Amino acid sequence: MVVLVAGGSGQLGQSLQFIAPNYPEIAFHFYGSSELDITDLENCDAIFSQLKPDFCINAAAYTAVDKAESEPEKAHLINVVGAKNLAEACKKHDTILVHISTDFVFDGNASKPYTEEAVPNPTGVYGQTKLNGEKAIQDIVDNYFIIRTSWVYSQFGTNFMKTMLRLASERDSVSVVSDQIGTPTNAVDLAEAVVEIIKHTENLKSDLSNLTSLYGIYHFSNEGQCSWYDFAKKIFEVNNISINLQPIPTSAYPTPAERPTYSVLGKSKIKSVFGVEVRDWEESLRKI
Ligand code: NDP
């Protein structure tokens, strides 16, 4: 089984690289943005022609949520045109697309976990471009998986956990927003869930009717919910860091992009369809 990973140097891309040796039956091929620029259709086509992948994981994205407010064209190019190009290449080369999307497609006004059927209503440029990317894919191919996730962290790249650890090394006190609720996702858990989906799908390839019913949108994060403040508290606890941590309201930490107040993703579908086991967020944080 040949699997192409676009965005191979990002946080999820590196997490996939980290777990790849556990799956010797899969030939992973990781591409950074300099080798595979998803905004360039000819570049995508050339790589697909050469590799003939069974699956393409799109871990590439414009992820600078606040910067997107002042760079909407760039966010659109990567998150919409890039997703569209990969879908076109997948269609041409008979490749199954696994695309990663976000909880930021929702407005955060819910009070119970968002199902895959919940109506998206992004509040910022990043969320809107990610939603438009989902739609572009759905317009081009039927054989796709869109995995929406939230609050991704890992030992790789830039993320909230690493920012908290850096701040703790620089300061005696940190203030963190306590009125936005969501669920952290260990990027390695996400990578494993993606690979489980791929393996399951590969096993069903001979049974097309069964396979067709699997395609669509899925939600994946760790289990449970917390505020960013709770998340920071647990990060410091797990790392034995003693620091003055203060909860603050969103209003005390204004950002260019509005964040959803509540963005917990319901994971019943991925659990029941693929048997994916979802670890509790605190347990997963302790693993790091
Ligand atoms: P990162 O920002 O760590 O990685 C994104 C990668 O995309 C980078 O390596 C970047 O490469 C690459 N990239 C950017 N532009 C292009 C391009 N034109 N062609 C090819 N590659 C490109 O993101 P994550 O790994 O954290 O995110 C993975 C997915 O998860 C994304 O779809 C994101 O939207 C989604 N997500 C992430 C969340 C989070 O908290 N991080 C939360 C919810 C969803 P380079 O650096 O060279 O530009």
Side-chain angles (χ1 to χ4, degrees), residues 6-15 31-40 43-44 58-65 74 77-79 82 86 99-104 126 130 147-154 156-160 185 187 190 220 228 265:
S9 318
Q11 189 180 191
L12 175 60
Q14 288 188 69
S15 301
Y31 294 88
S33 59
S34 56
E35 299 136 326
L36 171 56
D37 175 359
I38 63 168
T39 68
D40 179 344
N43 188 189
C44 296
N58 182 19
Y62 180 103
T63 55
V65 174
K74 189 168 176 195
L77 186 63
I78 298 168
N79 291 346
L86 287 179
H99 174 80
I100 312 300
S101 192
T102 172
D103 55 333
F104 278 40
Y126 167 73
K130 292 295 289 182
I147 320 283
R148 294 189 186 130
T149 188
S150 63
W151 298 23
V152 180
Y153 69 94
S154 66
F156 311 108
T158 313
N159 56 66
F160 180 80
T185 304
L190 172 62
F220 181 85
W228 289 109
L265 299 172

Side-chain angles (χ1 to χ4, degrees), residues 95-116:
T95 301
I96 298 169
L97 179 58
V98 184
H99 174 80
I100 312 300
S101 192
T102 172
D103 55 333
F104 278 40
V105 299
F106 297 116
D107 59 21
N109 293 329
S111 50
K112 61 180 192 334
Y114 284 101
T115 66
E116 289 78 359

Side-chain angles (χ1 to χ4, degrees), residues 194-205:
V194 166
V195 175
E196 274 183 57
I197 289 176
I198 286 176
K199 285 185 65 176
H200 195 105
T201 306
E202 181 70 11
N203 289 338
L204 283 175
K205 259 189 174 169

Side-chain angles (χ1 to χ4, degrees), residues 15-265:
S15 301
L16 283 160
Q17 293 197 42
F18 179 71
I19 64 163
N22 302 336
Y23 302 93
E25 69 277 26
I26 303 178
F28 283 100
H29 294 261
F30 295 92
Y31 294 88
S33 59
S34 56
E35 299 136 326
L36 171 56
D37 175 359
I38 63 168
T39 68
D40 179 344
L41 183 57
E42 276 182 26
N43 188 189
C44 296
D45 191 40
I47 301 245
F48 273 69
S49 297
Q50 192 189 353
L51 199 62
K52 305 195 185 333
D54 299 294
F55 293 86
C56 166
I57 301 173
N58 182 19
Y62 180 103
T63 55
V65 174
D66 287 319
K67 218 171 162 196
E69 296 297 314
S70 54
E71 287 188 342
E73 294 85 8
K74 189 168 176 195
H76 172 85
L77 186 63
I78 298 168
N79 291 346
V80 187
V81 179
K84 184 171 176 287
N85 288 344
L86 287 179
E88 295 285 7
C90 283
K91 187 174 186 179
K92 182 169 169 189
H93 297 275
D94 200 19
T95 301
I96 298 169
L97 179 58
V98 184
H99 174 80
I100 312 300
S101 192
T102 172
D103 55 333
F104 278 40
V105 299
F106 297 116
D107 59 21
N109 293 329
S111 50
K112 61 180 192 334
Y114 284 101
T115 66
E116 289 78 359
E117 288 76 38
V119 180
N121 181 32
T123 57
V125 170
Y126 167 73
Q128 186 64 58
T129 58
K130 292 295 289 182
L131 178 62
N132 293 348
E134 292 184 5
K135 288 181 179 161
I137 289 167
Q138 290 166 319
D139 284 345
I140 296 164
V141 286
D142 295 323
N143 49 346
Y144 66 84
F145 295 105
I146 291 172
I147 320 283
R148 294 189 186 130
T149 188
S150 63
W151 298 23
V152 180
Y153 69 94
S154 66
Q155 56 184 296
F156 311 108
T158 313
N159 56 66
F160 180 80
M161 179 189 77
K162 289 179 76 177
T163 301
M164 287 301 117
L165 295 176
R166 178 178 53 78
L167 290 177
S169 70
E170 295 168 359
R171 306 179 185 179
D172 299 328
S173 69
V174 180
S175 301
V176 178
V177 167
S178 60
D179 55 2
Q180 291 170 26
I181 305 296
T183 313
T185 304
N186 183 325
V188 172
D189 290 353
L190 172 62
E192 280 169 351
V194 166
V195 175
E196 274 183 57
I197 289 176
I198 286 176
K199 285 185 65 176
H200 195 105
T201 306
E202 181 70 11
N203 289 338
L204 283 175
K205 259 189 174 169
S206 53
D207 182 356
L208 272 184
S209 57
N210 218 336
L211 194 53
T212 311
S213 66
L214 292 188
Y215 294 128
I217 299 178
Y218 290 84
H219 287 174
F220 181 85
S221 66
N222 281 122
E223 206 64 270
Q225 64 176 57
C226 63
S227 68
W228 289 109
Y229 167 80
D230 299 327
F231 189 18
K233 194 169 167 197
K234 196 51 76 177
I235 290 167
F236 295 138
E237 189 185 304
V238 164
N239 289 280
N240 294 316
I241 291 170
S242 168
I243 187 165
N244 177 11
L245 175 66
Q246 292 298 326
I248 53 166
T250 299
S251 56
Y253 188 73
T255 51
E258 195 184 318
R259 264 74 175 167
T261 306
Y262 177 91
S263 68
V264 178
L265 299 172

